[in-house]
Amino acid sequence: MSVDRNPRIANAIHSLIDHLVAGDVNEDKDSAEERHDACFDLARSILEQPGSPAISSDVNHASDLIKRKLIQSNPSQALRFSNLYTRLLSLPVLNQKWAILYLLYQLSDSPDPNEPLPLSPPRQPAAQRGPSRLTDKERSSRASSSKASTPAPRADEDPLNDAFAPGGLKKLPPEKPGRSLEEDRLEPQATGASQKKAARDVSLKSTLLADNSVDFEPSEITLLRDLPFTLQGLSSTTLPFVKETSIKLPPTLPPPIISLLHTLAEPSLLYKGLGTFVRSPAKGLLGQSLRAAIGNELRAYLTLVATLEGQIRRALAELDEDAPRCGIGKAGVTLKRCVVWTREATMGLRLMSLIAEESNSKQGGQLITLIHGFSTSHGDPVVGAFAERLLADVTRPFYDILRRWIYDGELSDPHLEFFVREQNPNTEDRKETKAKGQASVWNSKYEVVDAMVPSIITADFAQKVFLIGKSLNFIRHSCGDSQWVEAYSKTSSKELKYGDTATLETWIDEAYKTTMQRLMQLMSTRFHLFDHLQALKNYILLGQGDFIALLMESLAANLDRPAGAQYRHTLTAQLEHAIRGSNAQYDSDEVLRRLDARMLQLSHGDIGWDCFTLEYKIDAPVDVVVTEWGNRQYLKVFNFLWRIKRVEFALASTWRKCMTGARGVLQTSEEKVVQTWKSTRGVLAEMIHFVGQLQYYILFEVIESSWTELQKNIRKEDCTLDDLITAHTKYLTSITHKGLLGAKRRQYAVNEAGEADGGEDRNSYMVQLGELLRTMLAYRDSVDGLYSWSVSDFTRRQEVDAAGLTQRGNAGGKAPALDDEGELGGGGVVKSEFPALQERLRQLGSSFKTRLQILLGDLAYQPDVDMRFLGVSMNFNDVYQPVRRKAKGGSASAVKT
């Protein structure tokens, strides 16, 4: 130690002694100086020859001790201490920061020497007072014992550090012979003068209490002797348990003592109730875990009671029967002090009793939410810390189930305590879903129970956990890739526990990304999901135009026959012919082997066109995307498009035939026939235009745009199987709605007030389009009939020309003309079919135009822009007057679009 520092150190020691060692007003100056010098020598000897500390010089440990004490005594100063502690660490001059902090911690309970005593203690005779000075031998002995002592907690304190709650409730002091419990509350390394001050305070208070005490029966000593039994829930002579939930107090006690006993009876009753709860059977693993955690806390409480019992026995052994109240106050143990020492233990028992009572109606995640509510929502930090300790033990089964779910994909939850649960197939919702064909292994096996999601995790976190486990289970059982799941579990499985939420979220995110990537990789590579979706669009939604045209051409002759005359081998052969004759031949065998042609259920009078359908067979696990409901939607769209294609094919064939015949067999000089053929071709052209616009709208504006949106959604980097299923369902819904298969026709009814009341008709656009298609086919048949009549008329005229050249010469070389009734002029007897055909064509043409105008009127008031565009494209030159229908029985009005 340098010379210039010695005066500074000596001055600091003198100042510290003057501040800490209290003076005695009755002591003379020489004695005070001698006592001061003794303290100075003791301090110098400790500083110059320090012993090895019994604790590690950890500045963080000392800081934690101070911070914990501030939180318990003065929480508002804890934040200020944290700021000062940060500034202390930044000072490079101080080397022993931990020693400074620990010294301050040891001095925190020292009395203030500047604070006067409430009353002066009674003077004792000089003969009874001890010597005021220390002899040299005593001083050296005191100095050596002080050097041997350190400011470290002793080993015999360890069992009490866990008294009732590790690190939570206040600790009881260690048992040390010859000292009272009140004196032991002072830190063991306090200065000798401080200990004398504390002893003087106790003596003063005991004297005052003894002077004002009143005798009562049973005495406080008797009550103290029976108190440990009461705190353990056992009956005693003075404090018997009448029932499980009541204690009988002696009626002879004064009200203050009754009040103290009421307070001390609370932990005993709570302990008995909690003991009964711990022994009761639990509903599940979390209930068992809660009982085990409460049992551990009760054992810690018994340790506290045992320590208190030891203090009581020691105090009772030191009683002086001749002193007032037998000197119980000087012994350091009273009923009031027992109340103080058990106060925080009572708070812990009260909290556990409340949790135990409310847990009877809760299980699983609800139980965790209950305890977590005390941790986060309670204003008392002691209660929050206590609840946190309980959660650490209670949540272990929950995290075991969670670890098994997110790393193995297996749900090990025999008592239904986890928030993921197997679905019950017998519920109404499940039956309805299955009836609709929307059930699959993916969405009908597990479900999230919102009520069981604990508050320690968020809803998004729970959804991620649900998808991880469900994906692993699906990969293992449906995709047949259990080896990858087992390898993933071995390499990635980690121990999960409560407390480290940030790390847990990181692990969950990693598991989520890994499982989702693996599942999408399997679906796209091993099971060719995207190839199947493309094949469904090409073949079922008629996207492969050359294949559909060739198939329809090759099947036309067969499908014109009755449905009962269709044979499976014929359909299969024609399908194979269409594949080999189109670009479909370049598709993979995985796709082509799933394509099949079959007949739907037959009904009387059906022909092949009405029952034929294409089928694309989907098997597991792709059927979780293309469900039974999805297959029905594809079949529905195909049948509708196939009917449109059939009408287009029929109209095109008739149109070609008429255009070819116009240059030959259809030529005639009859004005009525020529006019009829002109109007017929005009209506035929309108129908072809309508079919072409309808096909274009469905194939391009609806299917192609919806397909583009589907590809955009499923090709995302973070796309999951749920996202894919949702996107595909949206794709099919969009096709059926915009494709006029599911959209409802808006009607405008007139209510009682005479105002238009918008609603939706029961009839869909499907009904309207079906009527239009049937009208067009009937018109095609009538045109074919007119064509046949024209051919027969042409043949008859040729025969007449060949057989009656002379008669025609006499008649001026003119062919016989048709009269107004369609009969041969000049008295012919052959009755013609022409008037009936003409009337039929006129009626069908008028019906087609009327139905089309109604359809255009309905489309004009659709909220969907694309559907309104269909009406505009069909009537781009305003040749039709769209009709808006009103209430039933009301007149229709024409509107301009």
Side-chain angles (χ1 to χ4, degrees), residues 202-215:
V202 172
S203 175
L204 173 63
K205 294 175 183 177
S206 299
T207 302
L208 293 176
L209 289 173
D211 293 340
N212 297 279
S213 63
V214 177
D215 293 335

Side-chain angles (χ1 to χ4, degrees), residues 23 64 68 230 381 512 599 627 650 659 733 825 833:
D64 290 341
R68 188 183 307 162
T230 303
Y512 179 78
M599 302 300 292
T627 59
M659 291 300 101
T733 305
E833 300 174 352

Side-chain angles (χ1 to χ4, degrees), residues 823-836:
E823 297 182 359
L824 286 175
V829 294
V830 179
K831 187 173 180 61
S832 173
E833 300 174 352
F834 177 75

Side-chain angles (χ1 to χ4, degrees), residues 503-761:
T503 304
L504 178 61
E505 289 183 353
T506 302
W507 291 344
I508 293 297
D509 288 339
E510 293 176 357
Y512 179 78
K513 292 177 182 178
T514 304
T515 53
M516 292 301 109
Q517 289 176 357
R518 178 60 181 178
L519 179 56
M520 292 303 295
Q521 181 185 3
L522 286 174
M523 297 297 287
S524 60
T525 56
R526 181 182 295 185
F527 300 107
H528 311 285
L529 172 61
F530 299 131
D531 294 340
H532 294 320
L533 293 179
Q534 182 68 52
L536 285 167
K537 175 179 177 291
N538 289 344
Y539 300 112
I540 305 302
L541 302 183
L542 310 190
Q544 191 80 22
D546 57 343
F547 165 78
I548 296 299
L550 186 56
L551 178 65
M552 184 166 287
E553 185 178 349
S554 61
L555 285 174
N558 288 328
L559 296 181
D560 284 332
R561 295 183 296 175
Q566 308 297 325
Y567 299 102
R568 183 67 178 270
H569 65 275
T570 304
L571 300 178
T572 305
Q574 296 299 335
L575 174 64
E576 185 70 19
H577 168 70
I579 291 174
R580 297 308 170 197
S582 64
N583 286 329
Q585 61 182 311
Y586 301 111
D587 278 342
S588 64
D589 293 337
E590 176 69 20
V591 170
L592 295 179
R593 68 182 179 84
R594 298 175 181 273
L595 193 61
D596 190 21
R598 65 184 182 90
M599 302 300 292
L600 297 175
Q601 186 175 0
L602 308 180
S603 61
H604 181 70
D606 286 342
I607 62 174
W609 289 105
D610 300 325
C611 302
F612 174 81
T613 187
L614 280 182
E615 183 182 26
Y616 191 85
K617 297 177 182 178
I618 295 292
D619 52 15
V622 183
D623 59 352
V624 301
V625 179
V626 186
T627 59
E628 183 181 348
W629 172 84
N631 280 324
R632 289 205 301 264
Q633 295 301 103
Y634 277 114
L635 183 61
K636 186 177 180 181
V637 176
F638 172 81
N639 290 334
F640 178 58
L641 291 176
W642 183 255
R643 291 172 64 189
I644 297 176
K645 277 288 184 182
R646 175 202 175 186
V647 172
E648 181 198 31
F649 180 77
L651 293 178
S653 301
T654 302
W655 180 263
R656 286 195 302 268
K657 185 166 59 174
C658 292
M659 291 300 101
T660 304
R663 296 190 294 268
V665 296
L666 299 184
Q667 292 182 354
T668 179
S669 58
E670 288 296 330
E671 187 64 26
K672 292 183 179 180
V673 178
V674 173
Q675 189 62 34
T676 300
W677 270 113
K678 182 178 179 180
S679 60
T680 298
R681 283 193 293 266
V683 175
L684 203 59
E686 291 181 28
M687 293 180 176
I688 292 175
H689 168 74
F690 170 77
V691 172
Q693 291 298 323
L694 183 60
Q695 262 196 123
Y696 167 80
Y697 168 75
I698 295 176
L699 293 177
F700 293 95
E701 296 295 336
V702 175
I703 295 178
E704 203 62 42
S705 62
S706 300
W707 175 258
T708 303
E709 185 69 21
L710 173 65
Q711 292 298 305
K712 177 182 175 182
N713 292 331
I714 66 177
R715 297 294 181 178
K716 292 179 181 178
E717 184 178 355
D718 57 345
C719 179
T720 64
L721 187 58
D722 269 334
D723 296 335
L724 200 152
I725 294 173
T726 302
H728 184 257
T729 303
K730 181 181 177 182
Y731 165 70
L732 289 179
T733 305
S734 175
I735 289 175
T736 53
H737 177 77
K738 291 185 178 181
L740 309 179
L741 298 175
K744 298 295 182 182
R745 183 179 59 199
R746 185 175 292 275
Q747 67 174 1
Y748 290 87
V750 179
N751 55 23
E752 296 178 357
E755 299 175 352
D757 184 16
E760 287 188 350
D761 196 356

Side-chain angles (χ1 to χ4, degrees), residues 162-180:
D162 294 331
F164 185 66
L169 304 177
K170 289 183 179 296
K171 316 293 188 302
L172 277 179
E175 296 183 8
K176 193 170 183 179
R179 297 182 63 185
S180 67

Side-chain angles (χ1 to χ4, degrees), residues 31-144:
S31 299
E33 290 180 355
E34 185 176 355
R35 178 171 53 79
H36 185 91
D37 293 340
C39 294
F40 180 82
D41 294 339
L42 176 62
R44 286 297 298 266
S45 63
I46 293 175
L47 291 176
E48 292 176 354
Q49 298 178 356
S52 59
I55 63 171
S56 61
S57 23
D58 185 1
V59 66
N60 293 325
H61 175 66
S63 169
D64 290 341
L65 291 175
I66 297 176
K67 190 179 298 183
R68 188 183 307 162
K69 188 174 186 66
L70 287 175
I71 290 175
Q72 294 178 350
S73 60
N74 192 358
S76 62
Q77 295 295 327
L79 180 60
R80 185 167 181 267
F81 169 75
S82 299
N83 297 333
L84 294 175
Y85 172 65
T86 305
R87 294 171 58 185
L88 175 65
L89 293 180
S90 62
L91 295 177
V93 179
L94 302 177
N95 294 328
Q96 300 293 331
K97 298 183 179 66
W98 72 274
I100 296 172
L101 292 175
Y102 201 82
L103 175 62
L104 294 175
Y105 172 72
Q106 296 287 68
L107 296 177
S108 61
D109 286 335
S110 300
D112 188 356
N114 297 323
E115 182 179 350
L117 294 173
L119 288 174
S120 298
R123 295 290 304 273
Q124 297 180 358
Q128 296 180 6
R129 292 203 306 266
S132 61
R133 294 184 178 87
L134 296 173
T135 62
D136 294 340
K137 184 176 180 180
E138 289 173 341
R139 186 182 301 128
S140 61
S141 174
R142 180 74 58 84
S144 61

Side-chain angles (χ1 to χ4, degrees), residues 285-286 288-289 393-402 417:
L285 297 178
L286 283 172
Q288 296 176 15
S289 181
D393 293 331
V394 173
T395 55
R396 285 178 184 172
F398 175 83
Y399 281 101
D400 288 341
I401 300 173
L402 177 63
E417 298 175 287

